[in-house]
């Protein structure tokens, strides 16, 4: 067993026992997004690197140090990257297929994202996001509609204790003035800034507010507050959004330090935060906002946008912790065959599957005596063992309860199983 190859750092296997949580989450999300009028879009995992440097921003953590970037084999100059997030690809696809200009469009997506981050609980190098994007609407009605959709998702999943934090970043123009105030403030305390923040002071000072370094918290708390420096229109937009959410019965807290890690946001930004303590500083499970400049930045006509992404691994972790998903349904049948009857037995098993499309049945594999097969049946977790004795006779036995096995003709076996399935449904 020497020399076993392990999965790459930060890239995880999802084992069969986890799937019930993933499927519950994915199914709930898919239904909900469809109910709100969003249509699924699937874009490639690999895109031109320039898409992300233009969309996410040159001086963000993602583009500076987290992307998996490589040259294509047949073109040394074609730089490609594994996608670190889903919005850029949605916009690129929307523009490429003419889905955005002068129209309203609602997309949702799901899939793996890649960031070369330090591995921690809830922070991986390959992780899954499900998200939604709406184009062509300046809000704040669509902002409220989409935030309400996320609130309903927590309700449906039994996670209503998530906390909603909101902020408005204003327009890029009004942010310039605020940026100058921020540089003045932090410049007076350079001795208290960590390495990242020193670097950001002149490239992207707003990002200092987003620091996860506890030693910086007090300094950040004293910084000038962004939403006191909003332009009038953004302030009005933000006030209307709050009024809408209140009318919809959605609680929120305003967090003036909320800036989000990506560059493309304008006006509304929001995060949902779980109270679960063991995710530590990885407690944000859903984040998004408005990005009215992004489509234009990627070469399209000016088009408003609003969207969010949720971290599926983090959500699965919470569902699992709280045992919020019912156990997977047991298999109906473990099918055994008398060793002298394998050909007829397997043919009958296929007839059974054709006649009963909802039946779940494991075929005994690897032969063995009936005694050996029964041992496997007992271990399998199935509800019944069904033995094919010969073409005239089968034996049905409960694997859960102590009851006498029942001998049946093939026709009677079919009727019996059919009524079991009706009861199950
Ligand atoms: P964080 O502040 O946790 O680094 P972020 O601001 O980088 O998150 P976004 O890019 O907005 O996050 O992604 C949206 C959501 O995707 C996050 O709130 C989180 O739930 C999830 N997410 C982001 N990065 C990772 C990761 N490396 N591993 C697992 N989930 C992640
Ligand atoms: Mg991050």
């Amino acid at each position: 067993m020497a020399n076993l190859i392990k999965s790459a750092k930060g890239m995880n296997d999802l084992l069969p026992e986890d799937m019930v949580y993933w499927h519950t989450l994915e199914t709930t999300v898919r239904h909900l997004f469809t109910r709100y009028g969003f249509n699924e879009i699937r874009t490639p995992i690999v895109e031109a690197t320039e898409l992300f440097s233009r969309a996410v921003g040159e001086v963000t953590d993602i583009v500076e140090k987290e992307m998996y970037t490589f040259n294509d084999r047949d073109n040394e100059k074609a730089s490609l990257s594994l996608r670190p997030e889903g919005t850029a690809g949605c916009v690129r696809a929307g523009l490429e297929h003419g889905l955005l200009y002068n129209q309203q469009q609602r997309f949702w997506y799901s899939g793996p994202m890649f960031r070369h981050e330090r591995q921690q609980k809830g922070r991986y190098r390959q992780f899954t996001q499900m998200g939604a994007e709406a184009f062509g609407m300046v809000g704040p009605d669509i902002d409220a509609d989409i935030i309400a959709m996320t609130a309903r998702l927590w309700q449906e999943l039994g996670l209503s204790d998530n906390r909603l934090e909101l902020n408005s970043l204003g327009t890029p123009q009004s942010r310039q003035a605020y940026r100058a105030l921020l540089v003045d403030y932090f410049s007076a305390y350079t001795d208290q800034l960590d390495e990242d923040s020193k670097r950001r002071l002149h490239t992207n000072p707003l990002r200092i507010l987003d620091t996860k370094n506890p030693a910086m918290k007090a300094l950040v708390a004293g910084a000038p507050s962004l939403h006191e420096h909003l332009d009038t229109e953004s302030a009005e937009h933000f006030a209307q959004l709050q009024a809408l959410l209140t009318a919809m019965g959605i609680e929120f807290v305003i967090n003036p330090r909320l800036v989000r890690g990506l560059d493309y946001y304008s006006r509304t930004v929001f995060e949902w935060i779980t109270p679960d303590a063991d995710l530590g500083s990885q407690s944000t499970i859903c984040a998004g906002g408005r990005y009215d400049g992004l489509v234009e930045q990627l070469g399209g006509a000016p088009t408003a946008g609003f969207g969010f992404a949720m971290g599926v691994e983090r959500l699965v972790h919470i569902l699992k912790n709280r045992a919020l998903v019912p156990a997977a349904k047991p298999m109906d049948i473990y099918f055994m065959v008398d060793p002298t009857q394998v050909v007829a037995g397997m043919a009958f098993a296929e007839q059974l599957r054709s006649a009963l499309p909802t039946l779940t049945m494991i075929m005994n594999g690897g032969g063995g005596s009936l005694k050996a097969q029964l041992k496997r049946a007992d271990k399998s977790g199935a509800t019944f063992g069904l033995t094919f004795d010969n073409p005239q006779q089968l034996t049905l036995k409960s694997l859960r309860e102590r009851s006498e096995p029942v001998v049946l003709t093939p026709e009677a076996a079919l009727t019996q199983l059919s009524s079991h399935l009706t009861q199950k449904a």
Side-chain angles (χ1 to χ4, degrees):
M1 296 284 274
N3 226 353
L4 277 187
I5 296 170
K6 298 231 170 99
S7 64
K9 197 165 168 186
M11 320 238 170
N12 301 303
D13 299 308
L14 305 176
L15 301 179
E17 67 196 41
D18 297 326
M19 281 304 136
V20 62
Y21 301 98
W22 283 79
H23 291 162
T24 300
L25 189 60
E26 286 163 349
T27 309
T28 310
V29 170
R30 191 177 320 122
H31 281 143
L32 189 69
F33 285 2
T34 307
R35 276 179 72 192
Y36 278 73
F38 286 78
N39 299 302
E40 187 176 6
I41 184 166
R42 299 189 189 187
T43 64
I45 285 169
V46 175
E47 298 266 10
T49 303
E50 191 192 351
L51 175 67
F52 303 115
S53 47
R54 260 163 75 182
V56 179
E58 288 284 0
V59 289
T60 54
D61 284 352
I62 292 183
V63 171
E64 276 181 342
K65 55 185 192 200
E66 294 176 357
M67 281 216 290
Y68 285 88
T69 297
F70 51 95
N71 289 328
D72 207 351
R73 272 176 194 277
D74 55 2
N75 182 352
E76 279 297 301
K77 291 196 196 89
S79 178
L80 299 175
S81 292
L82 303 185
R83 62 181 182 197
E85 55 92 57
T87 303
C90 277
V91 174
R92 199 252 329 121
L95 287 172
E96 193 166 329
H97 302 282
L99 305 176
L100 300 187
Y101 184 58
N102 254 350
Q103 8 187 353
Q104 296 192 345
Q105 197 66 254
R106 290 168 171 86
F107 297 134
W108 72 267
Y109 64 84
S110 167
M113 307 296 162
F114 301 83
R115 297 181 192 175
H116 194 273
E117 304 204 58
R118 195 162 66 79
Q119 186 179 218
Q120 300 166 60
K121 187 171 226 168
R123 188 177 297 285
Y124 312 108
R125 291 182 177 178
Q126 175 177 333
F127 60 99
T128 311
Q129 287 185 335
M130 294 183 90
E133 320 281 356
F135 295 98
M137 293 161 268
V138 293
D141 49 0
I142 190 70
D143 309 28
D145 186 45
I146 289 181
I147 291 174
M149 178 169 83
T150 56
R152 187 176 299 281
L153 177 62
W154 315 138
Q155 243 171 44
E156 292 189 359
L157 292 169
L159 304 176
S160 300
D161 55 354
N162 290 334
R163 180 175 83 245
L164 173 61
E165 294 195 352
L166 274 188
N167 195 17
S168 174
L169 301 181
T171 61
Q173 293 77 5
S174 72
R175 216 147 65 209
Q176 282 307 315
Y178 173 70
R179 191 192 140 113
L181 286 176
L182 214 53
V183 173
D184 283 349
Y185 171 81
F186 284 119
S187 297
Y189 300 97
T190 37
D191 53 323
Q192 292 179 42
L193 296 178
D194 61 15
E195 281 312 307
D196 269 346
S197 303
K198 276 188 189 136
R199 196 164 40 85
R200 287 172 180 155
L201 185 55
H202 295 289
T203 54
N204 196 349
L206 262 77
R207 287 295 316 282
I208 301 178
L209 301 176
D210 193 35
T211 180
K212 299 223 161 50
N213 182 353
M216 297 266 306
K217 288 278 187 240
L219 186 61
V220 164
S225 159
L226 176 58
H227 79 259
E228 283 162 18
H229 296 89
L230 285 184
D231 56 286
T232 327
E233 273 181 48
S234 296
E236 178 59 20
H237 191 278
F238 194 36
Q240 281 175 17
L241 172 62
Q242 292 172 50
L244 286 168
L245 291 174
T246 303
M248 290 164 140
I250 296 166
E251 288 176 32
F252 56 86
V253 283
I254 292 175
N255 174 359
R257 320 277 159 222
L258 186 66
V259 294
R260 310 284 314 112
L262 288 64
D263 252 6
Y264 49 53
Y265 290 103
S266 55
R267 295 199 168 151
T268 314
V269 287
F270 72 99
E271 284 192 2
W272 283 98
I273 295 158
T274 175
D276 284 49
D278 70 322
L279 278 166
S281 66
Q282 279 62 256
S283 57
T284 301
I285 40 143
C286 173
R290 177 159 287 285
Y291 44 85
D292 290 342
L294 179 63
V295 175
E296 206 177 353
Q297 208 170 303
L298 290 176
T303 307
F306 189 96
F308 68 88
M310 16 188 210
V312 181
E313 282 79 1
R314 293 182 191 179
L315 284 165
V316 164
H317 178 83
I318 299 165
L319 291 176
K320 220 170 153 174
N321 248 356
R322 300 195 191 175
L324 274 175
V325 166
K329 287 217 173 76
M331 296 295 288
D332 297 315
I333 298 237
Y334 189 96
F335 192 89
M336 294 159 277
V337 194
D338 184 292
T340 65
Q341 300 285 335
V342 174
V343 175
M346 290 200 64
F348 178 76
E350 275 307 288
Q351 284 170 20
L352 211 52
R353 293 192 202 273
S354 301
L356 304 172
T358 60
L359 182 76
T360 56
M361 179 165 88
I362 314 180
M363 167 65 64
N364 177 71
S369 67
L370 278 177
K371 197 172 156 208
Q373 294 186 45
L374 197 57
K375 262 197 185 152
R376 293 184 200 133
D378 275 327
K379 274 199 200 147
S380 74
T383 308
F384 297 105
L386 182 64
T387 308
F388 186 91
D389 301 310
N390 59 57
Q392 284 77 45
Q393 181 188 308
L394 291 104
T395 307
L396 186 68
K397 182 182 185 302
S398 169
L399 298 172
R400 301 296 180 77
E401 294 150 21
R402 278 182 170 277
S403 57
E404 281 302 300
V406 194
V407 174
L408 298 162
T409 62
E411 296 73 31
L414 191 75
T415 318
Q416 189 105 349
L417 290 173
S418 170
S419 88
H420 160 73
L421 292 174
T422 319
Q423 276 173 29
K424 188 175 77 164

